[in-house]
Amino acid sequence: MPTIFTRIVAGEIPSFKLMENEQFYAFLDIRPINPGHTLVVPKIEVDEFFDLEPTWLEGLMPFAQPIAKALKTVTGQRIGMLVAGFEVPHAHLHLIPIQTEADLDFARARPADPDSLKAIQQQIVEALA
């Protein structure tokens, strides 16, 4: 059965997409730790991050870099990265605007209002342009 991320990439489940290419898809987390919290996922279904083939790992950071820079522009915060991989069995990278390392705590995650997600999505997409 496809993961929720595979279904998002396929367009079966709506998302607040920021960017995509042939290999990766980036979208806003609907339960962000902080506004702008982004998920970067490969378009292939691999459960654990470090089980990705080296070429996929090599492509992930160059794909994520402009997104992180746009997040920093929009939020004015440092962008933390986190790979946890417990909730969804699909490799993914979290890009999270943070002020301190303590912000990288999923206990802080809360459901976001769709209007606020749409607003920050538009700002990030504009910063990517």
Side-chain angles (χ1 to χ4, degrees):
M1 181 152 107
T3 69
I4 191 168
F5 291 164
T6 298
R7 294 180 67 209
I8 287 169
V9 168
E12 296 172 18
I13 296 174
S15 69
F16 293 90
K17 180 175 84 168
L18 301 177
M19 191 168 93
E20 76 176 303
N21 67 12
E22 308 79 40
Q23 289 183 291
F24 304 103
Y25 190 91
F27 58 100
L28 293 175
D29 194 318
I30 60 171
R31 286 188 43 85
I33 290 174
N34 283 325
H37 181 165
T38 298
L39 298 169
V40 177
V41 300
K43 288 186 174 181
I44 58 168
E45 234 179 79
V46 172
D47 183 2
E48 295 186 34
F49 192 84
F50 289 109
D51 285 341
L52 286 166
E53 293 292 327
T55 55
W56 287 81
L57 289 171
E58 291 167 5
L60 190 117
M61 287 302 170
F63 176 81
Q65 184 179 30
I67 299 164
K69 288 182 176 189
L71 286 170
K72 184 174 185 174
T73 297
V74 169
T75 66
Q77 296 180 324
R78 180 179 295 268
I79 306 305
M81 295 187 309
L82 186 62
V83 174
F86 288 99
E87 289 188 12
V88 179
H90 190 131
H92 56 286
L93 173 68
H94 295 263
L95 299 176
I96 307 166
I98 60 173
Q99 293 183 19
T100 70
E101 288 177 11
D103 286 346
L104 295 173
D105 180 356
F106 286 107
R108 297 171 42 92
R110 298 286 180 267
D113 172 79
D115 290 336
S116 64
L117 288 169
K118 185 67 177 166
I120 199 162
Q121 174 197 30
Q122 290 173 337
Q123 292 173 37
I124 296 164
V125 168
E126 286 174 14
L128 282 165

